[in-house]
């Protein structure tokens, strides 16, 4: 059984931005009887892991948090939430399960919301990725592989990640299997199209991931945000076709005013 613990990370000394403060307020409102554990440098010593230490010192806090979230849930059990997760309803009717994970779309794991019993084997597999691994590569660049990709790669060493059937009654438990990890559809925990930014909730939705992209500098968020807004206005297909025709680099230069008008 998953304990009523919410783990979250905030390693910066900066105050919560408005979006994050609003999201955390929804946790307290919807989960009043849960324990909330803040993982900061007082709770987790950055000296305990070379990856965390290097990412923290580079002020790449989201990458340091990638390890800490896995460590927290594996060692304590409970639910991890990214700070830009808005909670719509309690997770109570999922706590009898040994774990729950969702998709962010395209059958990719949603790494911002997941729950598990203490000592889950699939979390141990994910933690193995970070053993003796440096965040700073030999050429001085940063290892910025995203956590969903890392989790997918590690878990698939021993498990088949399989979409959860919409007809499956989860009031019981998952079907018995030693080599499958079942994944809820995006509307359960993500509910926001990462590409377009459009929120698509259903009656099944527990949370919305707002994708604040805190690991990116502000200027690097410009193009994704413009792309989302255009997709919402003219459609996904039209924008993807435009990107294919012009090329992403040309679009970047056009936005920056480096290209002459066509």
């Amino acid at each position: 059984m998953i304990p009523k613990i919410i783990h979250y990370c905030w390693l910066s000394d900066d105050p919560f931005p408005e979006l994050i403060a609003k999201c955390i307020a929804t946790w307290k409102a919807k989960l009043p009887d849960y324990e909330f554990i803040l993982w900061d440098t007082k709770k987790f010593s950055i000296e305990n892991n070379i990856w965390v230490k290097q990412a923290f010192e580079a002020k790449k806090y989201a990458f340091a948090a990638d390890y800490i979230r896995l460590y927290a849930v594996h060692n304590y059990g409970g639910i991890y939430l990214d700070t830009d997760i808005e909670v719509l309803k309690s997770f109570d009717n999922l706590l009898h399960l040994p774990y729950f994970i969702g998709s962010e779309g395209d059958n990719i794991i949603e790494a911002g919301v997941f729950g598990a019993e203490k000592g889950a084997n699939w979390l141990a597999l994910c933690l193995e990725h970070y053993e003796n691994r440096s965040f700073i590569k030999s050429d001085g660049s940063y290892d910025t592989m995203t956590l969903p990709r890392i989790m997918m790669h590690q878990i698939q060493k021993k498990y088949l990640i399989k979409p959860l059937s919409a007809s499956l009654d989860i009031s019981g438990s998952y079907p018995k299997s030693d080599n499958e990890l079942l994944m809820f559809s995006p509307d359960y925990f993500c509910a926001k199209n990462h590409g377009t930014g459009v929120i698509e909730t259903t009656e099944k939705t527990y949370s919305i991931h707002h994708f604040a992209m805190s690991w990116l500098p502000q200027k690097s968020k410009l193009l994704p945000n413009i792309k989302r807004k255009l997709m919402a206005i003219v459609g996904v297909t039209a924008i993807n076709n435009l990107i294919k025709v012009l090329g992403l680099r040309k679009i970047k230069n056009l936005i920056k005013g480096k290209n002459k008008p066509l």
Side-chain angles (χ1 to χ4, degrees), residues 182-250:
L182 298 178
M183 183 166 60
F184 286 85
S185 56
D187 57 320
Y188 276 83
F189 307 116
C190 184
K192 186 172 185 177
N193 188 299
H194 201 172
T196 65
V198 174
I199 295 173
E200 301 162 333
T201 59
T202 69
E203 72 281 355
K204 301 172 184 175
T205 304
Y206 287 84
S207 59
I208 301 170
H209 193 170
H210 288 285
F211 295 113
M213 295 183 289
S214 60
W215 64 92
L216 292 175
Q218 200 62 36
K219 64 180 181 181
S220 298
K221 299 179 188 179
L222 176 63
L223 189 63
N225 287 335
I226 291 175
K227 179 182 172 184
R228 286 179 181 178
K229 289 178 181 178
L230 290 174
M231 281 181 167
I233 295 169
V234 303
V236 175
T237 301
I239 294 303
N240 284 339
N241 287 339
L242 180 64
I243 289 172
K244 287 179 182 178
V245 171
L246 295 181
L248 186 59
R249 187 173 297 278
K250 288 183 180 179

Side-chain angles (χ1 to χ4, degrees), residues 124-143:
L125 281 173
C126 295
L127 285 167
E128 285 179 5
H129 172 83
Y130 295 95
E131 289 181 4
N132 301 314
R133 182 181 292 270
S134 295
F135 178 67
I136 302 174
K137 298 180 180 180
S138 58
D139 63 0
S141 64
Y142 298 143
D143 185 352

Side-chain angles (χ1 to χ4, degrees), residues 67-254:
Y67 175 86
I68 294 172
R69 74 185 70 186
L70 299 170
Y71 172 91
V73 178
H74 182 258
N75 283 277
Y76 290 79
I79 299 166
Y80 171 79
L81 295 179
D82 268 354
T83 51
D84 57 354
I85 297 288
E86 177 185 355
V87 172
L88 301 187
K89 64 181 180 181
S90 173
F91 299 105
D92 280 3
N93 65 346
L94 299 175
L95 299 181
H96 67 285
L97 298 169
Y99 67 88
F100 65 81
I101 57 172
S103 169
E104 67 173 32
D106 298 322
N107 291 321
I108 300 296
I109 282 179
E110 165 58 83
V113 187
F114 58 87
E117 297 174 334
K118 178 180 177 180
N121 290 335
W122 60 275
L123 285 172
L125 281 173
C126 295
L127 285 167
E128 285 179 5
H129 172 83
Y130 295 95
E131 289 181 4
N132 301 314
R133 182 181 292 270
S134 295
F135 178 67
I136 302 174
K137 298 180 180 180
S138 58
D139 63 0
S141 64
Y142 298 143
D143 185 352
T144 56
M145 181 184 292
T146 60
L147 185 58
R149 288 178 60 197
I150 291 170
M151 292 178 73
M152 295 290 290
H153 178 264
Q154 290 297 111
I155 292 169
Q156 287 172 334
K157 290 180 178 180
K158 290 189 178 180
Y159 296 92
L160 172 66
I161 300 176
K162 186 176 177 181
L164 193 68
S165 171
S167 62
L168 182 66
D169 180 8
I170 59 166
S171 62
S173 191
Y174 298 133
K176 187 70 173 176
S177 176
D178 293 328
N179 64 350
E180 288 183 349
L181 202 71
L182 298 178
M183 183 166 60
F184 286 85
S185 56
D187 57 320
Y188 276 83
F189 307 116
C190 184
K192 186 172 185 177
N193 188 299
H194 201 172
T196 65
V198 174
I199 295 173
E200 301 162 333
T201 59
T202 69
E203 72 281 355
K204 301 172 184 175
T205 304
Y206 287 84
S207 59
I208 301 170
H209 193 170
H210 288 285
F211 295 113
M213 295 183 289
S214 60
W215 64 92
L216 292 175
Q218 200 62 36
K219 64 180 181 181
S220 298
K221 299 179 188 179
L222 176 63
L223 189 63
N225 287 335
I226 291 175
K227 179 182 172 184
R228 286 179 181 178
K229 289 178 181 178
L230 290 174
M231 281 181 167
I233 295 169
V234 303
V236 175
T237 301
I239 294 303
N240 284 339
N241 287 339
L242 180 64
I243 289 172
K244 287 179 182 178
V245 171
L246 295 181
L248 186 59
R249 187 173 297 278
K250 288 183 180 179
I251 293 175
K252 283 183 178 178
N253 290 338
L254 189 61

